[in-house]
Amino acid sequence: MFSPVGNSKSLSQQIEEKITEAIRNGQYLPGQKIPTEKELCEIFKVSRTAVREAIKTLAARGIIVVKKGSGAYVSEVSIQNASESLNMFFELSSNKDLILQTIKTRQLIEPIIASEAAKHRTKKHITLLQKNLEDIKKCDLLDSKTEAELDNAFHKILVSIPQNNILELLLSPIFNLMPKFKESVFAKPTDGDLLKEKEMMIIHHSNILNAIIDQNGNLASQSMKNHLATTHANYIKSQALKK
Amino acid sequence: MFSPVGNSKSLSQQIEEKITEAIRNGQYLPGQKIPTEKELCEIFKVSRTAVREAIKTLAARGIIVVKKGSGAYVSEVSIQNASESLNMFFELSSNKDLILQTIKTRQLIEPIIASEAAKHRTKKHITLLQKNLEDIKKCDLLDSKTEAELDNAFHKILVSIPQNNILELLLSPIFNLMPKFKESVFAKPTDGDLLKEKEMMIIHHSNILNAIIDQNGNLASQSMKNHLATTHANYIKSQALKK
DNA sequence: AAGTAAAATTTGTATGATGTCTTATAAATT
DNA sequence: AATTTATAAGACATCATACAAATTTTACTT
């Protein structure tokens, strides 16, 4: 009955949509430059303010990149770019179960990934994983930040082995945020526990790596399950200690 | 000798970070209003332009929503918002590998989800899934769009059963884009094939549903694998036909 | 006390000016 | 002839001001 009187979209939003549409149509391909602000003003018959706000939004979405003094270019769609918003969501999400759910999600998904990695691994992957393991062993016990990053890197390498960009993309927020989780939330164990936890981690990573070297998917999956079960348990323990 | 002096983040970027930081600190909670542009100008000692650009970026990221004449409010973080960039990524990179990788990713992850769903399902979930199945059966054979949406809805319900927000969030881009993939890329089979494919889909969904009703995780997982293997095969076939 | 109209506040758009960065071209030096 | 430096032009970044449009607050009337 009532047609939307709306048109509630702001000028800059409309311009933003038109530019997006042009990009989506292939009118401007990744790497190419879109018209200058001045030209866009003339094309759309609006002020530079409106154009600039539209451009700012598109840049924030990662659809274009603006180079000062040069112009705005359609960005090469990159996994990093695409997952930035997801990462932001994770960071801002105030859900207290977030960490627990993240760990549970990893428990569901990573065993499969380990299994796939065992099937598709090459010598190059093995070398990478072995180097990572050595680095972790050498890492200072008190440098928990580096250790967390190396730990994370191990899992990232695993996810990269099946050469499935989508899989990597979807899981990237988890791996990006994991070190932050550890730093901010996990309780600091006493020195003795620290050592024990690290040794345990190294053993688990070794088990996973060996299974992958042997191309034994089932064993890799099972080793990963064990590893993450420990992670889960450690988290529960640390939360209990806080009370 | 000289290190690059750059690292000059733009003014609006700096402001953006400060506001983000304040939100992250809990200084402004979801739903609350952040200071007006004028106030922000005074706080940061910059022009309104710079402040507005920062606000624009934050709004584009879905971190705040701006109401004309009222102010800017911290938004309730939603999955929809968070995955919007990802959706754009999927849309822009419409290369064929992407679809194949998406299908493969589903083949890796969804069997586990089906298995979990079998463990955690309630009567309410069963009812939902049964209704969805009935709707698909009733759906007009030629209305492929509705059919694709219903198909997708089935899988979405499954993902929601374990009540793991992270899992849902991570996979939402896949489910959001799946109908579009089908519409734009899959070859239209002949009428006979259409009927056959639909019957097959209904059989597979029934198998999955029955396994879930029986709380038989292994069977649910296996049924899902079969289902997605068919999806995979159909896609390969459709691509071959195009040549 | 409630409703309404006016005023104040706040965001949206427009315009002009100045600064800084990038790129291209010309001039000077080696 | 090749390299370096100087200059100019194009383009984005920031600032300031003004006005428009939407919302919220205030004041006034009933």
Side-chain angles (χ1 to χ4, degrees), chain B residues 32-222:
Chain B
Q32 278 185 354
K33 190 178 155 182
I34 68 175
T36 67
E37 293 180 356
K38 193 179 162 195
E39 287 167 338
L40 289 172
C41 291
E42 286 160 6
I43 292 172
F44 297 121
K45 306 288 182 202
V46 295
S47 76
R48 225 185 115 201
T49 307
V51 167
R52 278 186 65 74
E53 297 210 331
I55 285 178
K56 201 81 189 138
T57 302
L58 293 176
R61 291 229 171 93
I63 292 169
I64 61 177
V65 289
V66 181
K67 288 184 191 171
K68 185 172 173 180
S70 174
Y73 301 80
V74 179
S75 55
E76 317 282 346
V77 276
S78 75
I79 288 182
Q80 199 50 48
N81 250 333
S83 61
E84 197 163 319
S85 290
L86 272 189
N87 290 343
M88 186 71 190
F89 168 81
F90 273 65
E91 279 194 48
L92 283 182
S93 47
S94 59
N95 73 58
K96 283 163 193 148
D97 275 356
L98 210 57
I99 296 180
L100 199 55
Q101 287 185 355
T102 302
I103 294 175
K104 283 182 179 171
T105 300
R106 294 184 63 177
Q107 287 184 289
L108 288 181
I109 295 177
E110 285 204 72
I112 309 280
I113 290 175
S115 168
E116 285 295 302
K119 289 178 199 159
H120 298 107
R121 100 284 189 284
T122 65
K123 278 173 191 160
K124 204 172 138 199
H125 295 130
I126 303 292
T127 309
L128 273 175
L129 289 169
Q130 283 171 332
K131 174 161 188 332
N132 174 276
L133 199 54
E134 289 308 311
D135 287 345
I136 290 183
K137 283 179 187 167
K138 277 186 294 190
C139 176
D140 182 7
L141 195 58
L142 294 178
D143 188 358
S144 59
K145 192 183 168 202
T146 304
E147 187 187 306
E149 280 168 5
L150 286 170
D151 178 10
N152 220 33
F154 183 87
H155 292 265
K156 272 189 186 170
I157 296 171
L158 253 51
V159 177
S160 76
I161 293 178
Q163 295 201 289
N164 185 324
N165 293 335
I166 300 306
L167 193 62
E168 272 190 85
L169 169 60
L170 288 181
L171 297 183
S172 65
I174 286 189
F175 293 118
N176 283 338
L177 271 301
M178 215 53 209
K180 216 165 283 185
F181 279 0
K182 278 195 180 155
E183 204 174 317
S184 66
V185 177
F186 279 38
K188 307 291 179 196
T190 63
D191 279 2
D193 282 349
L194 252 183
L195 186 57
K196 224 189 296 177
E197 281 195 9
K198 182 175 173 183
E199 281 173 354
M200 185 72 88
M201 189 239 283
I202 291 173
I203 290 173
H204 283 162
H205 280 202
S206 297
N207 289 343
I208 296 167
L209 176 52
N210 286 332
I212 288 175
I213 291 175
D214 294 343
Q215 299 193 291
N216 186 336
N218 285 336
L219 185 55
S221 168
Q222 190 55 52

Side-chain angles (χ1 to χ4, degrees), chain A residues 48-228:
Chain A
R48 242 181 31 251
T49 309
V51 167
R52 275 188 65 75
E53 300 212 330
I55 286 178
K56 195 78 191 166
T57 301
L58 293 175
R61 291 232 164 89
I63 293 168
I64 61 177
V65 289
V66 180
K67 288 185 189 171
K68 184 172 172 180
S70 175
Y73 301 80
V74 179
S75 48
E76 315 280 348
V77 276
S78 77
I79 287 183
Q80 199 49 47
N81 241 333
S83 65
E84 198 163 312
S85 289
L86 265 191
N87 289 337
M88 184 67 81
F89 168 83
F90 271 65
E91 281 196 51
L92 289 182
S93 192
S94 51
N95 188 344
K96 293 189 182 104
D97 287 342
L98 198 63
I99 297 180
L100 198 55
Q101 287 188 353
T102 301
I103 294 175
K104 283 184 178 170
T105 301
R106 293 183 64 176
Q107 287 185 288
L108 289 182
I109 295 177
E110 285 204 72
I112 308 280
I113 290 175
S115 167
E116 285 294 303
K119 289 178 199 159
H120 299 106
R121 100 283 188 286
T122 66
K123 278 173 189 161
K124 201 172 141 201
H125 296 130
I126 302 291
T127 309
L128 273 175
L129 289 169
Q130 282 172 333
K131 174 162 190 329
N132 174 277
L133 200 53
E134 289 309 310
D135 287 345
I136 289 183
K137 283 178 188 169
K138 279 186 292 189
C139 176
D140 182 6
L141 195 59
L142 293 177
D143 188 357
S144 59
K145 194 184 167 202
T146 304
E147 186 188 306
E149 279 168 6
L150 285 171
D151 177 9
N152 219 33
F154 183 87
H155 292 266
K156 272 189 189 170
I157 296 171
L158 253 51
V159 176
S160 76
I161 294 179
Q163 296 201 288
N164 184 325
N165 291 334
I166 299 304
L167 193 62
E168 274 189 83
L169 168 62
L170 291 181
L171 297 184
S172 66
I174 286 188
F175 293 116
N176 283 336
L177 273 304
M178 215 55 207
K180 216 165 283 183
F181 279 178
K182 278 194 180 156
E183 203 174 320
S184 66
V185 177
F186 279 36
K188 308 291 179 197
T190 63
D191 279 2
D193 282 349
L194 252 182
L195 186 58
K196 221 189 302 176
E197 281 194 10
K198 182 175 174 182
E199 281 173 354
M200 185 70 88
M201 190 239 283
I202 291 173
I203 291 173
H204 283 163
H205 280 201
S206 298
N207 289 342
I208 295 168
L209 175 53
N210 287 332
I212 287 175
I213 292 175
D214 295 342
Q215 299 192 291
N216 186 335
N218 285 336
L219 185 55
S221 167
Q222 190 55 52
S223 302
M224 179 63 83
K225 273 185 195 165
N226 291 339
H227 178 39
L228 293 175

